[in-house]
Amino acid sequence: MDDADAEDHFVAGIASHLDGIWRWGAKNPVLRLRPLIAENLHYVMELAVPEGTFRTTGPVNIAFFVNDHLLDRVRYDRSGTHTFEKAVPAEWLRAGEDAMLSAEIDKVYMDGQIPRGFIIVSLGLRNTTVKEEHH
């Protein structure tokens, strides 16, 4: 989230201002990447469910998507930092074409008029044969 070109990949639901090395995600943050390959990729997100929002929302469920395909749904029963990582079926991606990575949280915290879902530290595709950077 702190890469110089990170905002070039934001489609929706990701705060445009830099909050250190992380960004707030709304209910449904979406990021666009263009993988060079379609095989051996993992969806990886480092995220945090802040204690302050967790006190209001309680446990949350986050669904993870690749090009509108549901990859997984995870329940977070505690606040704090978490890492989600799961292999992406190669048929969901095309090498050299845009891929949409998204997540959707079931409950948001309202900070005035601003919906706060969770904090995104990093989000990207990791080549399981060679490590890649996250945006």
Side-chain angles (χ1 to χ4, degrees), residues 3 33 122-126 130-135:
D3 285 356
L33 295 177
S122 66
L123 171 58
L125 294 170
R126 184 172 66 83
V130 177
K131 294 200 178 226
E132 293 183 16
E133 292 184 26
H134 301 283
H135 290 279

Side-chain angles (χ1 to χ4, degrees), residues 27-43:
K27 181 172 179 61
N28 183 230
V30 182
L31 182 86
R32 177 182 35 246
L33 295 177
R34 185 170 290 176
L36 299 177
I37 61 171
E39 301 81 23
N40 302 315
L41 293 175
H42 280 203
Y43 178 123

Side-chain angles (χ1 to χ4, degrees), residues 9 11-14 26-33 43-45 47 62-73 84 88 92 99-105 118 120 123-125:
H9 301 278
V11 175
I14 302 173
K27 181 172 179 61
N28 183 230
V30 182
L31 182 86
R32 177 182 35 246
L33 295 177
Y43 178 123
V44 181
M45 180 186 282
L47 64 106
I62 301 177
F64 299 90
F65 297 90
V66 176
N67 289 332
D68 295 323
H69 297 280
L70 176 62
L71 184 61
D72 203 354
R73 189 177 316 269
F84 170 82
V88 177
W92 291 6
M100 299 297 182
L101 304 183
S102 62
E104 186 170 355
I105 192 167
F118 54 93
I120 305 168
L123 171 58
L125 294 170

Side-chain angles (χ1 to χ4, degrees), residues 77-126:
D77 291 323
R78 61 175 179 79
S79 62
T81 58
H82 307 277
T83 299
F84 170 82
E85 180 171 354
K86 189 163 186 175
V88 177
E91 60 270 15
W92 291 6
L93 300 167
R94 291 190 184 275
E97 293 186 13
D98 286 350
M100 299 297 182
L101 304 183
S102 62
E104 186 170 355
I105 192 167
D106 63 343
K107 295 178 271 187
V108 295
Y109 171 82
M110 291 305 293
D111 184 5
Q113 297 294 316
I114 302 169
R116 303 280 192 199
F118 54 93
I119 290 172
I120 305 168
V121 178
S122 66
L123 171 58
L125 294 170
R126 184 172 66 83

